Amino acid sequence: MKLNNEWKELMREYLQTPEARQLAMRIEAEYAKHTICPPKDKLFSAFNICPPDNVKVVILGQDPYFNRGQAMGMCFSIDPNCGCDFPPSLRNIITEIKSECGECSVEAGDLTSWAGQGVLLLNTCLTVKLGTPLSHVNIGWDSFTRAAISGISKHGGIVFVLWGSHAGKYRELIADKGAKGKNLVLSCAHPSPLSASRGFFGCGHFLKINEHLKSIGKSPIIW
């Protein structure tokens, strides 16, 4: 379970705590006893593909997909070759992108290209037991992701995307301004079929993100 060295430095204070060491031991034990999603080698994909200095946008999810082969360590992203049904929330995200932008570069569901452009696809819980949604929400990941969100917000000049009430709970951790300027927070309903029609569809977030990035001299995301 290797975390990018830049993230280790950013989260150094938290990673030195007994709480962090306990989390590491629990997760190692879970991988040893059960089938855990995502695979161990993909656990920190969101961080390792998108180091702190590259982060332009943070999209906050909840916990990984729980079907075999589906989760790949980045929120909302799937392995297109997993043979699982296409997640409805991801389908709604793609629908909204096409509505705003006219086309979408990730229709297969693999969002790795976003991460490579500076989008941190962060779940607040990084693991789940195969076939058992929300099974690791109380295992200790919350303190880990809170440290990551708080640390990266201090960089400044980042767009934080909070869809739904769960993501909205982390708003308090986001500094209004960091070393590189003001942060922008965008929030609306979650893209789940249960709530997408209550504010996610038509939110305009993908265009708003790119407009903001261009306004501060950063390259827009190819959605």
Side-chain angles (χ1 to χ4, degrees):
M1 298 190 297
K2 293 185 178 180
L3 180 64
N4 176 293
N5 285 334
E6 288 89 344
W7 280 104
K8 285 182 180 178
E9 180 59 28
L10 185 76
M11 300 170 63
R12 179 161 50 92
E13 185 175 342
Y14 163 75
L15 292 174
Q16 293 175 342
T17 65
E19 190 174 20
R21 290 191 288 271
Q22 289 169 4
L23 171 63
M25 288 187 290
R26 289 189 193 117
I27 295 304
E28 287 284 5
E30 287 293 300
Y31 272 107
K33 294 177 184 177
H34 307 286
T35 301
I36 302 300
C37 307
K40 190 187 289 189
D41 64 338
K42 295 183 179 179
L43 176 59
F44 293 124
S45 292
F47 297 91
N48 294 336
I49 298 173
C50 189
D53 285 344
N54 290 9
V55 177
K56 302 175 186 175
V57 181
V58 178
I59 296 179
L60 206 57
Q62 189 164 3
D63 71 336
Y65 298 123
F66 54 85
N67 292 317
R68 189 180 298 276
Q70 195 172 27
M72 50 191 305
M74 295 175 282
C75 74
F76 295 109
S77 184
I78 62 164
D79 181 345
N81 300 313
C82 67
C84 303
D85 291 339
F86 205 91
S89 292
L90 180 55
R91 190 174 301 282
N92 286 342
I93 289 170
I94 291 169
T95 297
E96 177 61 21
I97 291 170
K98 293 172 76 173
S99 175
E100 294 182 30
C101 307
E103 58 184 356
C104 177
S105 69
V106 293
E107 287 197 63
D110 182 350
L111 309 185
T112 302
S113 66
W114 291 4
Q117 297 175 76
V119 182
L120 179 65
L121 296 160
L122 178 61
N123 276 317
T124 57
C125 177
L126 269 61
T127 55
V128 66
K129 287 182 183 179
L130 178 68
T132 313
L134 304 177
S135 50
H136 281 179
V137 292
N138 295 318
I139 207 169
W141 281 120
D142 186 65
S143 59
F144 177 95
T145 50
R146 282 178 170 270
I149 294 166
S150 178
I152 197 62
S153 81
K154 293 174 184 175
H155 271 214
I158 294 171
V159 183
F160 288 85
V161 181
L162 310 179
W163 293 327
S165 59
H166 174 80
K169 294 176 183 177
Y170 293 82
R171 174 64 182 88
E172 64 181 10
L173 301 172
I174 301 169
D176 289 334
K177 187 176 181 180
K180 298 180 181 179
K182 292 183 178 180
N183 294 310
L184 173 66
V185 179
L186 298 175
S187 59
C188 69
H190 193 274
S192 160
L194 297 174
S195 56
S197 61
R198 298 200 298 268
F200 176 75
F201 288 137
C203 67
H205 281 182
F206 301 98
L207 287 180
K208 289 176 182 177
I209 290 167
N210 281 350
E211 288 168 2
H212 179 74
L213 292 176
K214 287 187 285 186
S215 76
I216 59 175
K218 295 182 180 180
S219 55
I221 307 299
I222 300 172
W223 300 113

